[in-house]
Amino acid sequence: MNSAPSSTPHRTALDAVHRALGATMTDFAGWDMPLRYGSERDEHLAVRAKAGLFDLSHMGEITVTGPQAAQLLDHALVGNIGAVAVGRARYTMICQEDGGILDDLIVYRLGEDEYMIVANASNAQTVLDALTTRAAGFDAEVRDDRDAYALLAVQGPESPGILRSLTDADLDGLKYYAGLPGTVAGVPALIARTGYTGEDGFELFVEPAHAETLWRALTEAGAPVGLVPCGLSCRDTLRLEAGMPLYGNELSTALTPFDAGLGRVVKFDKTSNGGDFVGRKALEAAAERAAAAPPRKLVGLVAEGRRVPRAGYAVVAGGETVGEVTSGAPSPTLGKPIAIAYVDASHAEPGTAGVGVDIRGSHEAYEVVALPFYKRRK
């Protein structure tokens, strides 16, 4: 299994394809992954205007089955998973007993007693271990399915047309955060309308043996409308523009969902297990603190100049530190450097004057804006 510690990065089923395309490869969370194929700016803009094709097979799939699968997940996660309809998906989190975020997740309900959890690559083993421990006493099985899936994503405004040419699945009826089994280019797949780019798009879960066939079919079908292969670098700038958090940057065990401005994912009113779940008491206290005295808020920052902020840089105002950058990069869509930062509530309102970022001793002026920086047209 790919969970075993190794000094050699894991390779996806598409590794040879990436190398044949001349991708720049990088070690990411123990996986050898394509960073870019050519210009990351061009890849980014292709997703915004046309379509991009991603290999996301490093993500961690965990299956939970059994008569009490829903009760287990309601106990183990902060969301109301039992209320998710078959064929739908939900964004949620798994927290420690003290409320700290272990990971953010997407949970797909594949059947009445079957769920698939998709964890971040860097946290997949941690999530698997936590779910396995928390399953004690429940009539449910937690299964490591990381080796059972390859994951391809086609994202961008042209993605529905590209996929429609390769499947007879009802894509028009497939809502955002929903999934259905189907066949794409003759390959059995779970077709999910999810993504991490801020664009319409699909994520396709398939057997690793079928990954190359599907990649080539999508490449051929997308070529006439400008689809290009895309690496992790542009995936990061796309999610940054869309204001989507990245674990390790905006999310960590040092923060609760309420600290991260994502308290909405915590459901105190779920009824299974008497409404109890791991971290509930700590999260109730965190909710009360946030309501009484808002913690630092997650905001967007847009540069007035050209210097790019990076994670860890101080946000300053009036000569004092008022926050910290968690992610920063040049924005191909806006044409300016942008950042996400946790900022004191007193300086978090859009348009707050006098806010800057300390970039190597120089206080560069930045405009405070509401997230996201970019929102696609429906």
Side-chain angles (χ1 to χ4, degrees):
M1 298 300 287
N2 63 24
S3 59
S6 173
S7 59
T8 303
H10 304 296
R11 295 186 174 187
T12 77
L14 292 165
D15 183 78
V17 173
H18 302 318
R19 294 175 191 279
L21 289 170
T24 299
M25 306 296 287
T26 188
D27 184 348
F28 182 82
W31 289 82
D32 214 10
M33 297 296 294
L35 188 64
R36 69 182 71 84
Y37 298 85
S39 161
E40 56 198 49
R41 179 180 181 276
D42 289 348
E43 292 172 23
H44 179 113
L45 294 175
V47 175
R48 286 282 178 254
K50 298 171 184 176
L53 179 59
F54 297 82
D55 177 11
L56 305 178
S57 301
H58 61 309
M59 301 295 282
E61 295 86 6
I62 301 165
T63 302
V64 178
T65 59
Q68 292 188 311
Q71 290 95 318
L72 164 58
L73 293 175
D74 277 344
H75 164 71
L77 311 180
V78 302
N80 189 356
I81 308 304
V84 178
V86 173
R88 298 307 302 268
R90 181 151 303 172
Y91 176 78
T92 188
M93 294 180 181
I94 183 168
C95 290
Q96 300 179 144
E97 196 67 65
D98 67 1
I101 303 167
L102 282 172
D103 201 15
D104 61 334
L105 314 164
I106 295 181
V107 179
Y108 297 87
R109 190 167 195 171
L110 305 182
E112 189 62 33
D113 298 325
E114 182 180 7
Y115 296 81
M116 182 173 70
I117 296 95
V118 180
N120 286 296
S122 58
N123 294 330
Q125 188 64 44
T126 298
V127 174
L128 176 65
D129 291 345
L131 287 174
T132 301
T133 299
R134 296 175 189 187
F138 290 92
D139 186 4
E141 177 191 357
V142 177
R143 187 173 70 237
D144 181 359
D145 271 350
R146 285 175 286 175
D147 289 336
Y149 291 102
L151 175 56
L152 282 66
V154 56
Q155 299 279 300
E158 296 288 350
S159 58
I162 294 169
L163 201 57
R164 196 173 286 114
S165 71
L166 297 172
T167 184
D168 58 4
D170 181 17
L171 299 185
D172 291 335
L174 187 62
K175 298 178 180 179
Y176 187 49
Y177 266 69
L180 80 168
T183 301
V184 183
V187 172
L190 171 64
I191 306 168
R193 202 160 204 156
T194 47
Y196 194 51
T197 64
E199 296 296 340
D200 191 11
F202 303 87
E203 295 184 319
L204 309 171
F205 297 85
V206 300
E207 291 183 17
H210 296 150
E212 189 169 333
T213 296
L214 184 55
W215 178 280
R216 297 195 185 284
L218 288 164
T219 297
E220 183 177 343
V225 294
L227 176 140
V228 301
C230 294
L232 294 184
S233 185
C234 84
R235 188 169 183 252
D236 188 52
T237 53
L238 288 160
R239 71 91 194 166
L240 178 56
E241 289 184 350
M244 295 177 170
L246 174 65
Y247 195 91
N249 290 47
E250 287 73 44
L251 308 175
S252 73
T253 54
L255 298 170
T256 73
F258 294 95
D259 297 324
L262 292 166
R264 65 181 181 277
V265 307
V266 180
K267 304 301 181 184
F268 294 117
D269 58 351
K270 50 186 173 181
T271 57
S272 66
N273 309 318
D276 194 20
F277 57 92
V278 177
R280 179 174 183 129
K281 288 184 178 179
L283 291 170
E284 286 176 333
E288 291 176 4
R289 289 195 303 270
R296 284 184 168 180
K297 293 185 177 180
L298 201 60
V299 302
L301 300 173
V302 178
E304 295 183 12
R306 309 302 303 175
R307 299 189 71 185
V308 179
R310 299 299 182 188
Y313 285 11
V315 180
V316 295
E320 295 187 357
T321 298
V322 297
E324 183 177 309
V325 171
T326 54
S327 298
S331 166
T333 304
L334 276 63
K336 299 177 180 180
I338 60 173
I340 296 177
Y342 281 109
V343 175
D344 292 348
S346 58
H347 291 84
E349 282 301 310
T352 300
V355 173
V357 175
D358 185 340
I359 301 180
R360 298 177 182 173
S362 175
H363 290 188
E364 303 290 328
Y366 272 75
E367 179 187 1
V368 179
V369 300
L371 293 171
F373 300 97
Y374 168 84
K375 188 176 291 186
R376 71 179 176 93
R377 296 176 181 175
K378 300 295 185 181

